[in-house]
Amino acid sequence: MSDHKTILITGVSSGFGQALAATALAAGHRVIGTVRRETDARAFERHASGRAHARRLDLTDSAAIAEVVAQTSRELGPIDVLVNNAGYGHEGILEESPTDEMRRQFEVNVFGAVEMIQAVLPAFRARRRGHIINITSMGGYITMPGIAYYCGSKFALEGISDALGKELAPFNIHVTAVAPGSFRTDWAGRSMQRSPRHIADYDALFDPVRQARKDKSGHQLGDPSKAARVMLDIIENDTPPAHLLLGSDALKLVRDRLAEMSREIKAWEAVAVSTDG
Ligand code: NAP
């Protein structure tokens, strides 16, 4: 029996999604990749004729999510792996950023991902197999000023992944939350939504952060093709992790954050236990 899988990846037009799709196709897997533009669909299907299938989908369109998954399963058979990759970063000081920006951030990064999961789960459960990979971020563990909405969405997806993994373990369905550090993709370039500045009080804190992120775009430490190789290994692993950090920056920042949390918990331990009845 072939161990080649059918992998559904959202957002294969650039970055991690494109790199993972290319790596999976090269390894002989079949990939269904979602894109928003017809030109991206054509470019994707040129990858590997017969094994690269593009589907047009905007993750803010709930009805289309269910339809694309149902139609794809009818046409191509069962999906083995869902990779919730599509997403973007909102950057802006919270007080300056309209909550509509937050809603949109959560629509794509959280609700879109959850609706994709709900669309594949009935078939995964029926077959008692499947793997869901959610691309979260080190911003799902640590925070920085100016990306509160983004971190909120990635903390949400980390938490959802963790609970979901416990619900699905009895059905032999794996859930892995992959949290990358800074990688060379379009994330901080064309994809980032930046709320305009207007409160001078935040200039000193935030202007250097915004400028540094712009300057670093395209020169980040992480190589998406190496991340893709690791993610494919995770897909091919029978005992994949529930959480995986990618990148030495993510590793250091998350470790520092956990140590800081431990210190704070210890410092306030007596207060924490003082409320027991
Ligand atoms: P990217 O190159 O900008 O790719 C983002 C992908 O998501 C594109 O294919 C984009 O499609 C798609 N997308 C965005 N909004 C969408 C929507 N509403 N509906 C459908 N597709 C949509 O950036 P990336 O870094 O590869 O991002 C992939 C994931 O990694 C994201 O979830 C991101 O938050 C996460 N991440 C990135 C980094 C990093 O440093 N790069 C670090 C941690 C986590 P279009 O081409 O149509 O815009």
Side-chain angles (χ1 to χ4, degrees):
M1 197 180 85
S2 160
D3 54 5
H4 289 148
K5 296 183 193 300
T6 297
I7 306 173
L8 169 57
I9 307 173
T10 59
V12 294
S13 62
S14 65
F16 288 124
Q18 188 179 57
L20 179 58
T23 306
L25 287 167
H29 298 290
R30 182 155 65 160
V31 178
I32 301 139
T34 77
V35 293
R36 290 194 285 183
R37 287 171 296 272
E38 190 51 39
T39 45
D40 291 328
R42 282 200 296 273
F44 177 66
E45 291 194 337
R46 273 198 296 272
H47 262 311
S49 72
R51 286 189 296 110
H53 306 269
R55 293 289 181 270
R56 297 278 297 281
L57 181 64
D58 192 305
L59 282 180
T60 57
D61 186 347
S62 299
I65 289 178
E67 183 47 34
V68 162
V69 172
Q71 195 186 32
T72 300
S73 306
R74 273 197 306 275
E75 288 169 8
L76 301 173
I79 294 160
D80 298 302
V81 182
L82 165 66
V83 182
N84 268 319
N85 162 75
Y88 72 95
H90 168 268
E91 187 200 70
I93 285 290
L94 186 143
E95 192 182 345
E96 294 180 329
S97 302
T99 47
D100 276 353
E101 294 285 2
M102 181 182 179
R103 280 197 186 86
R104 203 179 124 63
Q105 180 76 106
F106 277 67
E107 278 298 330
V108 177
N109 291 8
V110 183
F111 287 90
V114 169
E115 284 167 352
M116 289 296 300
I117 292 167
Q118 289 180 333
V120 300
L121 270 186
F124 279 18
R125 252 188 320 98
R127 298 173 75 215
R128 291 297 195 258
R129 56 181 286 196
H131 193 169
I132 295 162
I133 297 191
N134 291 324
I135 309 297
T136 62
S137 171
M138 66 178 173
Y141 291 82
I142 60 132
T143 67
M144 292 163 210
I147 49 169
Y149 295 169
Y150 181 68
C151 289
S153 75
K154 295 300 188 177
F155 268 68
L157 194 55
E158 274 287 331
I160 287 165
S161 298
D162 203 67
L164 182 69
K166 291 169 185 165
E167 293 179 3
L168 298 181
F171 311 125
N172 189 36
I173 300 169
H174 303 293
V175 181
T176 304
V178 175
S182 293
F183 276 73
R184 247 167 290 141
T185 70
D186 291 350
W187 182 82
R190 67 158 182 114
S191 299
M192 181 153 271
Q193 302 298 309
R194 292 180 162 91
S195 288
R197 300 284 339 278
H198 62 270
I199 306 176
D201 266 352
Y202 292 108
D203 288 0
L205 173 77
F206 183 54
D207 284 354
V209 173
R210 174 163 280 180
Q211 193 55 48
R213 185 169 288 119
K214 282 182 180 162
D215 293 344
K216 202 172 135 194
S217 181
H219 310 282
Q220 293 95 332
L221 183 64
D223 177 346
S225 62
K226 289 191 174 172
R229 189 59 254 169
V230 170
M231 286 192 255
L232 194 59
D233 288 347
I234 295 293
I235 286 169
E236 290 167 346
N237 193 311
D238 290 334
T239 54
H243 299 272
L244 179 69
L245 298 170
L246 292 181
S248 55
D249 52 351
L251 202 66
K252 179 178 181 340
L253 289 165
V254 172
R255 277 207 172 119
D256 289 352
R257 164 80 174 143
L258 292 176
E260 177 56 32
M261 278 179 83
S262 290
R263 272 194 296 276
E264 195 171 65
I265 287 170
K266 198 164 172 39
W268 291 86
E269 187 171 343
V271 175
V273 300
S274 71
T275 55
D276 289 357

